[in-house]
Amino acid sequence: MTPTLLTAQDGGVLTLTFNRPEVLNALNDQVVKELSAALRQAERDATVRCLVLTGAGRAFSAGQDLGAFVAREEAPGSSSIREHLQTGYNQIVTRMRGLEKPIIAGINGVAAGVGLSLALAADMRIAADNASFTTGFSKIGLVPDGGMSYMLPLLIGIGRAAELAFTSDRIDAAEAHRLGLVNRVVPADELGAATQALAQQLAAMPTRALGLTKRAFNRSVLADLDTWLDYEAHLQEIAGQTADHKEGVRAFIEKRPATFRGE
Ligand code: LHQ
């Protein structure tokens, strides 16, 4: 099976690259499994002192693979959305925040849905100047998940978070920088080098101190994260049963605008 997540280590820097460029690195069960395993390995491996998460091709990640999601929902005995989140994305977010090593998201293109949530779970974000961002969930009748409903208001304030979450408008890298969604924006052809340079800088720092700093930040502003992830999954379970959700997903698959009825 072709790896859907490429891994490469250079000194203390481990780079993980989403590798489904033909679907804008949409996330299916295999990517989730491989990312989870890579994070577990990065926890155990003392030679890894900084992690970079990025995407192959023109996207960082378009979020949940909606084709795979529909197929899963239609399969007899499939798990609920709540379980899907709890056993997949939520564990990844918990692992990313729990990893006591810096994680940098190198945002090389569009980041949408839970793809954006994973970028937000990183410690820092560097975006290519041609990257773009959309929460995406409201377009398919869902609630921001993968910790986004916690991280987004924290990073950019509740009013701006509401605007992005309600409208799912796509914003560019300059706007993302202005909002505080990303730390830095660099020319697209310099993203790889800029991300690796920062990662090497951090990998040469006292890793234990950085890890403890991350632990402190987790405790100071993300203390409720795990409870929150469960609550978000509960809200998503409710949203997932609405007619508007089903219409939104159908419209995406059929490549047509959705007609929402508010129910
Ligand atoms: C895709 C996708 C995609 C499959 C582009 N899936 N193929 C998890 C599980 C449980 C419950 C709910 O929540 C979640 C978390 C989530 O992440 S839900 C949100 C899922 N993501 C989205 O709704 C975003 C959907 N994608 C888009 O809105 C657009 O594709 C964006 C804005 C990302 C990019 O737009 P464009 O640059 O115009 O590209 P495109 O739309 O033409 O896409 C290129 C191809 O990638 C296309 O396939 P094709 O065969 O026509 O070339 C898309 O169908 C495919 N693709 N996203 N999520």
Side-chain angles (χ1 to χ4, degrees):
M1 212 184 281
T2 321
T4 57
L5 186 77
L6 306 175
T7 60
Q9 190 166 346
D10 177 11
V13 177
L14 177 68
T15 301
L16 306 177
T17 305
F18 296 126
N19 188 36
R20 302 186 72 216
E22 66 289 354
V23 284
L24 306 186
N25 298 319
L27 306 168
N28 60 11
D29 290 350
Q30 195 191 338
V31 193
V32 168
K33 220 164 108 189
E34 288 175 11
L35 179 54
S36 202
L39 288 167
R40 263 200 310 275
Q41 176 61 23
E43 273 163 26
R44 286 192 294 257
D45 186 345
T47 70
V48 173
R49 296 174 60 191
C50 182
L51 209 131
V52 170
L53 189 59
T54 190
R58 74 173 176 94
F60 177 76
S61 168
Q64 167 67 38
D65 183 320
L66 292 174
F69 179 63
V70 168
R72 196 191 61 84
E73 280 210 314
E74 285 169 355
S78 68
S79 59
S80 64
I81 292 191
R82 181 186 203 143
E83 284 169 294
H84 183 63
L85 289 169
Q86 284 171 332
T87 57
Y89 300 116
N90 290 1
Q91 292 194 15
I92 286 178
V93 170
T94 301
R95 272 190 195 288
M96 286 176 71
R97 294 308 316 168
L99 182 72
E100 294 200 341
K101 305 173 185 188
I103 304 181
I104 304 169
I107 305 172
N108 55 302
V110 64
V114 78
L116 178 55
S117 308
L118 297 185
L120 299 185
D123 297 292
M124 295 176 63
R125 285 150 288 283
I126 306 189
D129 57 1
N130 62 356
S132 60
F133 303 78
T134 167
T135 57
F137 293 95
S138 64
K139 281 200 173 158
I140 53 167
L142 289 179
V143 178
D145 63 21
M148 190 191 287
S149 69
Y150 199 114
M151 297 301 297
L152 197 61
L154 190 63
L155 278 165
I156 67 171
I158 190 169
R160 288 182 282 254
E163 185 173 344
L164 293 188
F166 290 172
T167 64
S168 287
D169 281 350
R170 196 165 169 176
I171 60 168
D172 63 18
E175 176 68 358
H177 189 240
R178 200 184 63 78
L179 292 173
L181 200 60
V182 299
N183 298 73
R184 302 181 188 178
V185 178
V186 297
D189 59 358
E190 292 169 22
L191 179 72
T195 309
Q196 290 296 323
L198 176 63
Q200 292 293 352
Q201 181 190 344
L202 297 182
M205 301 290 289
T207 307
R208 283 285 288 153
L210 269 48
L212 292 168
T213 305
K214 182 164 173 176
R215 198 193 294 183
F217 288 168
N218 282 344
R219 190 76 179 265
S220 68
V221 290
L222 293 170
D224 282 340
L225 181 62
D226 286 341
T227 315
W228 196 262
L229 288 168
D230 269 348
Y231 183 59
E232 225 180 34
H234 159 73
L235 298 179
Q236 201 66 294
E237 184 65 32
I238 301 172
Q241 285 164 22
T242 62
D244 281 345
H245 163 59
K246 295 190 181 9
E247 161 62 6
V249 173
R250 242 188 335 260
F252 178 77
I253 303 274
E254 293 166 9
K255 298 185 189 291
R256 60 167 173 84
T259 305
F260 295 123
R261 303 192 187 286
E263 53 197 34

PDB file of all heavy atoms in Angstrom, residues 58-79:
ATOM      1  N   ARG A  58      -0.497  20.676  -3.964  1.00  0.00           N
ATOM      2  CA  ARG A  58      -0.960  22.060  -3.806  1.00  0.00           C
ATOM      3  C   ARG A  58      -1.803  22.290  -2.557  1.00  0.00           C
ATOM      4  O   ARG A  58      -2.365  23.368  -2.383  1.00  0.00           O
ATOM      5  CB  ARG A  58      -1.695  22.522  -5.063  1.00  0.00           C
ATOM      6  CG  ARG A  58      -3.091  21.961  -5.265  1.00  0.00           C
ATOM      7  CD  ARG A  58      -3.775  22.629  -6.446  1.00  0.00           C
ATOM      8  NE  ARG A  58      -5.069  22.062  -6.746  1.00  0.00           N
ATOM      9  CZ  ARG A  58      -6.216  22.540  -6.266  1.00  0.00           C
ATOM     10  NH1 ARG A  58      -6.234  23.560  -5.446  1.00  0.00           N
ATOM     11  NH2 ARG A  58      -7.370  21.967  -6.603  1.00  0.00           N
ATOM     12  N   ALA A  59      -1.904  21.273  -1.681  1.00  0.00           N
ATOM     13  CA  ALA A  59      -2.711  21.450  -0.472  1.00  0.00           C
ATOM     14  C   ALA A  59      -1.932  21.047   0.777  1.00  0.00           C
ATOM     15  O   ALA A  59      -1.038  20.195   0.713  1.00  0.00           O
ATOM     16  CB  ALA A  59      -3.974  20.591  -0.554  1.00  0.00           C
ATOM     17  N   PHE A  60      -2.300  21.666   1.894  1.00  0.00           N
ATOM     18  CA  PHE A  60      -1.867  21.122   3.193  1.00  0.00           C
ATOM     19  C   PHE A  60      -2.777  19.926   3.452  1.00  0.00           C
ATOM     20  O   PHE A  60      -2.342  18.789   3.425  1.00  0.00           O
ATOM     21  CB  PHE A  60      -1.988  22.202   4.281  1.00  0.00           C
ATOM     22  CG  PHE A  60      -1.626  21.704   5.648  1.00  0.00           C
ATOM     23  CD1 PHE A  60      -0.302  21.519   6.003  1.00  0.00           C
ATOM     24  CD2 PHE A  60      -2.616  21.426   6.589  1.00  0.00           C
ATOM     25  CE1 PHE A  60       0.040  21.048   7.276  1.00  0.00           C
ATOM     26  CE2 PHE A  60      -2.281  20.964   7.854  1.00  0.00           C
ATOM     27  CZ  PHE A  60      -0.957  20.775   8.204  1.00  0.00           C
ATOM     28  N   SER A  61      -4.063  20.176   3.647  1.00  0.00           N
ATOM     29  CA  SER A  61      -5.050  19.090   3.722  1.00  0.00           C
ATOM     30  C   SER A  61      -6.454  19.670   3.619  1.00  0.00           C
ATOM     31  O   SER A  61      -6.761  20.680   4.252  1.00  0.00           O
ATOM     32  CB  SER A  61      -4.928  18.309   5.030  1.00  0.00           C
ATOM     33  OG  SER A  61      -6.070  17.468   5.187  1.00  0.00           O
ATOM     34  N   ALA A  62      -7.300  18.982   2.835  1.00  0.00           N
ATOM     35  CA  ALA A  62      -8.700  19.408   2.651  1.00  0.00           C
ATOM     36  C   ALA A  62      -9.618  18.793   3.708  1.00  0.00           C
ATOM     37  O   ALA A  62     -10.839  18.816   3.548  1.00  0.00           O
ATOM     38  CB  ALA A  62      -9.178  19.041   1.251  1.00  0.00           C
ATOM     39  N   GLY A  63      -9.026  18.238   4.776  1.00  0.00           N
ATOM     40  CA  GLY A  63      -9.867  17.704   5.860  1.00  0.00           C
ATOM     41  C   GLY A  63     -10.335  16.289   5.571  1.00  0.00           C
ATOM     42  O   GLY A  63      -9.770  15.594   4.718  1.00  0.00           O
ATOM     43  N   GLN A  64     -11.369  15.894   6.287  1.00  0.00           N
ATOM     44  CA  GLN A  64     -11.910  14.547   6.125  1.00  0.00           C
ATOM     45  C   GLN A  64     -12.169  14.237   4.644  1.00  0.00           C
ATOM     46  O   GLN A  64     -12.748  15.077   3.941  1.00  0.00           O
ATOM     47  CB  GLN A  64     -13.230  14.442   6.903  1.00  0.00           C
ATOM     48  CG  GLN A  64     -14.070  13.216   6.605  1.00  0.00           C
ATOM     49  CD  GLN A  64     -13.443  11.912   7.067  1.00  0.00           C
ATOM     50  OE1 GLN A  64     -12.825  11.858   8.137  1.00  0.00           O
ATOM     51  NE2 GLN A  64     -13.583  10.865   6.286  1.00  0.00           N
ATOM     52  N   ASP A  65     -11.762  13.053   4.192  1.00  0.00           N
ATOM     53  CA  ASP A  65     -12.097  12.616   2.833  1.00  0.00           C
ATOM     54  C   ASP A  65     -13.599  12.346   2.795  1.00  0.00           C
ATOM     55  O   ASP A  65     -14.094  11.396   3.417  1.00  0.00           O
ATOM     56  CB  ASP A  65     -11.297  11.351   2.490  1.00  0.00           C
ATOM     57  CG  ASP A  65     -11.538  10.897   1.059  1.00  0.00           C
ATOM     58  OD1 ASP A  65     -12.692  10.963   0.590  1.00  0.00           O
ATOM     59  OD2 ASP A  65     -10.559  10.482   0.415  1.00  0.00           O
ATOM     60  N   LEU A  66     -14.309  13.210   2.078  1.00  0.00           N
ATOM     61  CA  LEU A  66     -15.776  13.129   2.118  1.00  0.00           C
ATOM     62  C   LEU A  66     -16.299  11.916   1.353  1.00  0.00           C
ATOM     63  O   LEU A  66     -17.346  11.370   1.718  1.00  0.00           O
ATOM     64  CB  LEU A  66     -16.387  14.436   1.609  1.00  0.00           C
ATOM     65  CG  LEU A  66     -16.150  15.631   2.548  1.00  0.00           C
ATOM     66  CD1 LEU A  66     -16.657  16.926   1.923  1.00  0.00           C
ATOM     67  CD2 LEU A  66     -16.811  15.420   3.912  1.00  0.00           C
ATOM     68  N   GLY A  67     -15.564  11.462   0.337  1.00  0.00           N
ATOM     69  CA  GLY A  67     -15.969  10.230  -0.363  1.00  0.00           C
ATOM     70  C   GLY A  67     -15.891   9.046   0.594  1.00  0.00           C
ATOM     71  O   GLY A  67     -16.831   8.239   0.714  1.00  0.00           O
ATOM     72  N   ALA A  68     -14.774   8.947   1.307  1.00  0.00           N
ATOM     73  CA  ALA A  68     -14.588   7.850   2.273  1.00  0.00           C
ATOM     74  C   ALA A  68     -15.613   7.959   3.398  1.00  0.00           C
ATOM     75  O   ALA A  68     -16.123   6.949   3.903  1.00  0.00           O
ATOM     76  CB  ALA A  68     -13.169   7.903   2.842  1.00  0.00           C
ATOM     77  N   PHE A  69     -15.941   9.188   3.755  1.00  0.00           N
ATOM     78  CA  PHE A  69     -16.887   9.416   4.859  1.00  0.00           C
ATOM     79  C   PHE A  69     -18.283   8.909   4.480  1.00  0.00           C
ATOM     80  O   PHE A  69     -18.940   8.223   5.269  1.00  0.00           O
ATOM     81  CB  PHE A  69     -16.920  10.916   5.173  1.00  0.00           C
ATOM     82  CG  PHE A  69     -17.867  11.290   6.266  1.00  0.00           C
ATOM     83  CD1 PHE A  69     -17.683  10.823   7.558  1.00  0.00           C
ATOM     84  CD2 PHE A  69     -18.952  12.109   6.006  1.00  0.00           C
ATOM     85  CE1 PHE A  69     -18.562  11.165   8.568  1.00  0.00           C
ATOM     86  CE2 PHE A  69     -19.834  12.461   7.007  1.00  0.00           C
ATOM     87  CZ  PHE A  69     -19.643  11.984   8.290  1.00  0.00           C
ATOM     88  N   VAL A  70     -18.706   9.193   3.239  1.00  0.00           N
ATOM     89  CA  VAL A  70     -20.018   8.730   2.775  1.00  0.00           C
ATOM     90  C   VAL A  70     -20.023   7.201   2.708  1.00  0.00           C
ATOM     91  O   VAL A  70     -20.965   6.552   3.175  1.00  0.00           O
ATOM     92  CB  VAL A  70     -20.353   9.344   1.389  1.00  0.00           C
ATOM     93  CG1 VAL A  70     -21.551   8.674   0.762  1.00  0.00           C
ATOM     94  CG2 VAL A  70     -20.595  10.836   1.530  1.00  0.00           C
ATOM     95  N   ALA A  71     -18.950   6.637   2.175  1.00  0.00           N
ATOM     96  CA  ALA A  71     -18.869   5.172   2.061  1.00  0.00           C
ATOM     97  C   ALA A  71     -18.952   4.537   3.455  1.00  0.00           C
ATOM     98  O   ALA A  71     -19.644   3.533   3.665  1.00  0.00           O
ATOM     99  CB  ALA A  71     -17.561   4.779   1.379  1.00  0.00           C
ATOM    100  N   ARG A  72     -18.305   5.157   4.416  1.00  0.00           N
ATOM    101  CA  ARG A  72     -18.301   4.631   5.785  1.00  0.00           C
ATOM    102  C   ARG A  72     -19.698   4.714   6.387  1.00  0.00           C
ATOM    103  O   ARG A  72     -20.186   3.771   6.999  1.00  0.00           O
ATOM    104  CB  ARG A  72     -17.322   5.455   6.624  1.00  0.00           C
ATOM    105  CG  ARG A  72     -16.902   4.855   7.942  1.00  0.00           C
ATOM    106  CD  ARG A  72     -16.161   5.888   8.773  1.00  0.00           C
ATOM    107  NE  ARG A  72     -17.002   7.030   9.052  1.00  0.00           N
ATOM    108  CZ  ARG A  72     -17.880   7.089  10.054  1.00  0.00           C
ATOM    109  NH1 ARG A  72     -17.972   6.103  10.899  1.00  0.00           N
ATOM    110  NH2 ARG A  72     -18.637   8.156  10.225  1.00  0.00           N
ATOM    111  N   GLU A  73     -20.365   5.858   6.148  1.00  0.00           N
ATOM    112  CA  GLU A  73     -21.715   6.040   6.711  1.00  0.00           C
ATOM    113  C   GLU A  73     -22.708   5.046   6.123  1.00  0.00           C
ATOM    114  O   GLU A  73     -23.633   4.619   6.796  1.00  0.00           O
ATOM    115  CB  GLU A  73     -22.209   7.464   6.431  1.00  0.00           C
ATOM    116  CG  GLU A  73     -21.643   8.484   7.385  1.00  0.00           C
ATOM    117  CD  GLU A  73     -22.591   9.648   7.622  1.00  0.00           C
ATOM    118  OE1 GLU A  73     -23.134  10.153   6.635  1.00  0.00           O
ATOM    119  OE2 GLU A  73     -22.782  10.023   8.798  1.00  0.00           O
ATOM    120  N   GLU A  74     -22.482   4.686   4.845  1.00  0.00           N
ATOM    121  CA  GLU A  74     -23.430   3.787   4.187  1.00  0.00           C
ATOM    122  C   GLU A  74     -23.162   2.328   4.518  1.00  0.00           C
ATOM    123  O   GLU A  74     -24.008   1.467   4.296  1.00  0.00           O
ATOM    124  CB  GLU A  74     -23.388   4.008   2.662  1.00  0.00           C
ATOM    125  CG  GLU A  74     -24.100   5.308   2.282  1.00  0.00           C
ATOM    126  CD  GLU A  74     -23.875   5.720   0.837  1.00  0.00           C
ATOM    127  OE1 GLU A  74     -23.085   5.042   0.140  1.00  0.00           O
ATOM    128  OE2 GLU A  74     -24.493   6.737   0.426  1.00  0.00           O
ATOM    129  N   ALA A  75     -21.969   2.035   5.061  1.00  0.00           N
ATOM    130  CA  ALA A  75     -21.621   0.639   5.369  1.00  0.00           C
ATOM    131  C   ALA A  75     -22.430   0.171   6.579  1.00  0.00           C
ATOM    132  O   ALA A  75     -22.577   0.923   7.547  1.00  0.00           O
ATOM    133  CB  ALA A  75     -20.129   0.538   5.662  1.00  0.00           C
ATOM    134  N   PRO A  76     -22.976  -1.070   6.518  1.00  0.00           N
ATOM    135  CA  PRO A  76     -23.753  -1.552   7.646  1.00  0.00           C
ATOM    136  C   PRO A  76     -22.891  -1.637   8.907  1.00  0.00           C
ATOM    137  O   PRO A  76     -21.726  -2.030   8.842  1.00  0.00           O
ATOM    138  CB  PRO A  76     -24.221  -2.955   7.201  1.00  0.00           C
ATOM    139  CG  PRO A  76     -23.484  -3.284   5.950  1.00  0.00           C
ATOM    140  CD  PRO A  76     -22.868  -2.034   5.418  1.00  0.00           C
ATOM    141  N   GLY A  77     -23.457  -1.227  10.035  1.00  0.00           N
ATOM    142  CA  GLY A  77     -22.759  -1.325  11.327  1.00  0.00           C
ATOM    143  C   GLY A  77     -21.617  -0.340  11.484  1.00  0.00           C
ATOM    144  O   GLY A  77     -20.735  -0.538  12.326  1.00  0.00           O
ATOM    145  N   SER A  78     -21.599   0.724  10.666  1.00  0.00           N
ATOM    146  CA  SER A  78     -20.491   1.678  10.774  1.00  0.00           C
ATOM    147  C   SER A  78     -20.603   2.457  12.090  1.00  0.00           C
ATOM    148  O   SER A  78     -21.690   2.607  12.635  1.00  0.00           O
ATOM    149  CB  SER A  78     -20.501   2.640   9.589  1.00  0.00           C
ATOM    150  OG  SER A  78     -21.633   3.467   9.673  1.00  0.00           O
ATOM    151  N   SER A  79     -19.474   2.968  12.544  1.00  0.00           N
ATOM    152  CA  SER A  79     -19.465   3.690  13.822  1.00  0.00           C
ATOM    153  C   SER A  79     -20.127   5.054  13.649  1.00  0.00           C
ATOM    154  O   SER A  79     -20.244   5.569  12.534  1.00  0.00           O
ATOM    155  CB  SER A  79     -18.022   3.856  14.309  1.00  0.00           C
ATOM    156  OG  SER A  79     -17.290   4.563  13.343  1.00  0.00           O
TER     157      SER A  79
END
